[in-house]
Amino acid sequence: MTARLVDIAAQAGVSEATVSRVLNGKPGVAAATRESVLAALDVLGFERPPRLRQRGSAGLVGLITPELDNPIFPALAQVIAQSLTRQGYTPVLATQTPGGSTEDELTEMLVDRGVAGIIFVSGLHADTTADLGRYEALRGKGVPFVLVNGFSAQVRAPFVSTDDRAAARLAVTHLASLGHTRIGLAVGPRRFVPVLRKIEGFQLAMRERLGLPADESGELIEHSLYSLEGGQAAAGTLIDKGCTAVVCASDMMALGAVRAARERGLEVPRDISVVGFDDSPLIAFTDPPLTTVRQPVQAMGQAAVRTLLEEIGGTPAPHSEFVFLPELVVRESTASGRQEDRRSA
């Protein structure tokens, strides 16, 4: 129980003594503090003591994420879970894993458990090759839902997204201002909406800042997996093509780009600059600290919850996309492009 008290106190931002008073039903605890402790219990997955369980609980809300290996997904999940518990809902996290349950299976499981609504993060809605009829079928069951990242005009639901075009433009503009003229883009598979949008922003910025037409900037785009290994492979190809800077579609890919540079005896940022995307936790403490484009996770997570609760409450949001502007965070992985473009031998 001691370890549990420590965890709950840290999550709620109160003392262990306060947690003990709440759990034991003792007086002298402010209502707001009591609710913070109960919310911490829910977020950490501890069962509330019977006398403290909500009467007339608002119910369960499902949250489906593609994975938890990429730090951006746990960060979003935490914001969404905290926002839900503050509103009296209990979040149910369902995560896809290789060889495990699919999005459809997780959705069915949540519906069978009577969830009040579902939030999908970077799900099949973002895949331009997927059958989007699954979402219309879900709507037909009367289950409200909100989709995060990956807008589709074919799905009648509210979307919450980062402006991926602006993200790519921010990165290219930053690198061009440092004197880089040969900038590469390492992104995920082309079938995903965020990838297509990043490509649009990248090519527009390359044309505006460097006068490079789409056919030429297209030669500087490499598709791979959203992983360290994927970033290493894509960045390695771009470096071999003579790029002095690489924009990556995730922070994990950017760390792979740093590895690819070091494999070739290059230093970051002296020989090559690297920009990530997400501003994942701990990314400021890598070697070197990573320049990245920050997704506004807090605002997006809260907006997704607010929109879903409006849907649950009978005030449906319009079929539209709430777009949030990213922010460039400059650290030590980018520097002046002091060398001429290195071209492959």
Side-chain angles (χ1 to χ4, degrees), residues 151 161-162 164-165 193-201 321:
F151 177 76
S161 304
T162 299
D164 290 293
R165 298 183 185 91
V193 172
V195 170
L196 296 173
R197 289 180 166 185
K198 285 184 177 72
I199 290 173
E200 289 177 18
E321 183 180 24

Side-chain angles (χ1 to χ4, degrees), residues 36-120:
S36 294
V37 172
L38 295 179
L41 279 171
D42 295 335
V43 169
L44 294 172
F46 295 133
E47 187 174 349
R48 296 187 183 193
R51 64 179 173 276
L52 297 179
R53 291 174 189 167
Q54 283 188 327
R55 295 179 175 86
S57 171
L60 307 175
V61 168
L63 169 61
I64 299 181
T65 65
E67 47 144 320
L68 292 178
D69 291 336
N70 188 328
I72 195 63
F73 295 127
L76 263 171
Q78 183 176 33
V79 171
I80 291 170
Q82 289 176 338
S83 297
L84 285 168
T85 54
R86 291 192 189 104
Q87 298 299 321
Y89 287 84
T90 301
V92 180
L93 178 62
T95 303
Q96 300 174 63
T97 54
S101 298
T102 65
E103 180 180 310
D104 290 338
E105 291 169 339
L106 294 175
T107 300
E108 183 178 0
M109 177 269 291
L110 292 171
V111 172
D112 288 346
R113 281 160 177 72
V115 293
I118 301 176
I119 297 174
F120 295 88

